[in-house]
Amino acid sequence: MDFSSFPLEKPFVTTDSWYDSMIVCAIAYATVVFFGAFFFSAGYGKFSDPRFGIELDPRLGWFLMELPATLSFSYFYWTSPKAWEAQRVFCAFLFLRHYMNRGWFFPLSIRVAPGKKASFSMSVVAFGVLFTTLHGYLNAKWFAEFAPNLSDLSWFSSPWFLIGYPMYEISFWLTIHSEYIQRNLRDLKNKNDTGYKIPYGGLFDYVTNATYFGELMGWLGWMLWTRSPGGAFVFAVSCANLIPRAFKQHQWYLKKFDNYPKNRKVLIPMIL
């Protein structure tokens, strides 16, 4: 593949001063997340911590945190005069499909054990809202206005798209499958089924953090095929948040379960 025929064309610089300012904000946000990850894990799930403020039901916490991605993207994308061009609609569909799952289906499908205390910190929601709002804005404006040559069908025959899009699509379905496995570890009909269990099947036979692997692979693919600051932003923040958390979670399982499979890697099958 000849990448020289499809240069990046300074993808992180536009003629819009507001958009470029938001890129600077995105860099600052990613930097804070990166350094913050050395000192603490985000307060939700296994690592919920009352020190991070009021704690919510995880279903509500996830919904509130992810909702702005859909709202922000929809507002800034559909108000563009180019919004209904076929190529741009395809890009918008992929973004909105992702957040229909992550922002709507996933939170509502979480199985919370009866009587279990709230475990999603309000501070995580607040910090997450900043991220998803900015994420939606950067991608919407990129697809609607700033992506170079997106109106040209050759954009979809570039090596960046041919490599990045399949990575994203495969990872999207891998993540959904991994979430399905995790969700069904808890039996809703059994009120006494409140503890953690070892997941088996799919990518969980190879790594502890199958969903994290899917997320990171997906956003790497997204960054490649969109060639966008929004893609780089979400991939950088995901790495800063999920990679340290993956190692912490792996150690948690090893300590929690004496029979935890010792051959499982932390994050990347057969490698890491």
Side-chain angles (χ1 to χ4, degrees):
M1 293 185 179
D2 182 11
F3 285 84
S4 63
S5 300
F6 301 91
L8 289 178
E9 302 182 41
K10 298 181 180 180
F12 300 168
V13 179
T14 72
T15 57
D16 187 291
S17 60
W18 178 254
Y19 190 82
D20 292 343
S21 296
M22 291 301 99
I23 294 174
V24 174
C25 291
I27 294 172
Y29 185 102
T31 301
V32 170
V33 173
F34 174 77
F35 285 106
F38 285 99
F39 301 99
F40 56 85
S41 294
Y44 65 89
K46 297 179 182 68
F47 309 117
S48 62
D49 190 332
R51 294 178 301 173
F52 291 113
I54 298 172
E55 294 189 315
L56 305 175
D57 182 299
R59 292 166 293 196
L60 178 60
W62 275 108
F63 176 75
L64 293 176
M65 185 174 71
E66 301 288 355
L67 179 62
T70 302
L71 298 180
S72 175
F73 183 92
S74 297
Y75 175 79
F76 289 107
Y77 179 82
W78 296 112
T79 53
S80 168
K82 297 181 181 179
W84 288 103
E85 289 184 7
Q87 300 94 304
R88 301 178 192 276
V89 170
F90 172 77
C91 298
F93 165 75
L94 291 181
F95 186 92
L96 293 173
R97 183 191 64 170
H98 182 95
Y99 279 98
M100 282 300 294
N101 175 63
R102 175 56 56 187
W104 296 81
F105 175 74
F106 173 74
L108 296 176
S109 66
I110 294 174
R111 297 184 178 182
V112 179
K116 190 172 183 180
K117 73 179 186 68
S119 60
F120 205 102
S121 171
M122 191 64 192
S123 63
V124 173
V125 173
F127 208 60
V129 163
L130 293 176
F131 167 74
T132 52
T133 301
L134 188 54
H135 178 39
Y137 168 79
L138 290 174
N139 280 278
K141 298 292 283 186
W142 184 256
F143 293 145
E145 298 181 33
F146 302 128
N149 303 319
L150 184 53
S151 295
D152 188 338
L153 285 175
S154 65
W155 200 84
F156 293 92
S157 62
S158 73
W160 304 104
F161 182 84
L162 295 177
I163 293 174
Y165 172 68
M167 284 180 62
Y168 171 76
E169 192 67 29
I170 291 170
S171 74
F172 177 79
W173 296 106
L174 284 175
T175 302
I176 286 179
H177 182 248
S178 298
E179 290 172 347
Y180 170 81
I181 291 173
Q182 284 188 311
R183 182 166 57 250
N184 285 281
L185 289 174
R186 181 163 289 147
D187 183 0
L188 287 178
K189 297 179 181 179
N190 184 358
K191 294 184 178 181
N192 296 318
D193 188 7
T194 60
Y196 284 101
K197 300 176 183 177
I198 302 173
Y200 290 96
L203 281 176
F204 283 109
D205 289 341
Y206 304 95
V207 296
T208 296
N209 300 280
T211 53
Y212 292 177
F213 173 77
E215 283 283 305
L216 293 173
M217 175 182 166
W219 290 127
L220 174 59
W222 185 276
M223 180 180 70
L224 291 175
W225 79 260
T226 63
R227 289 171 274 168
S228 67
F233 172 54
V234 69
F235 180 63
V237 171
S238 297
C239 285
N241 177 38
L242 297 183
I243 292 177
R245 191 178 182 90
F247 280 91
K248 186 173 181 179
Q249 187 153 268
H250 185 71
Q251 291 301 314
W252 184 92
Y253 273 103
L254 290 173
K255 293 178 181 178
K256 178 75 173 179
F257 301 100
D258 293 333
N259 62 333
Y260 192 73
K262 300 298 188 290
N263 61 325
R264 286 191 190 180
K265 297 296 184 181
V266 176
L267 186 60
I268 304 175
M270 298 180 287
I271 298 175
L272 178 65

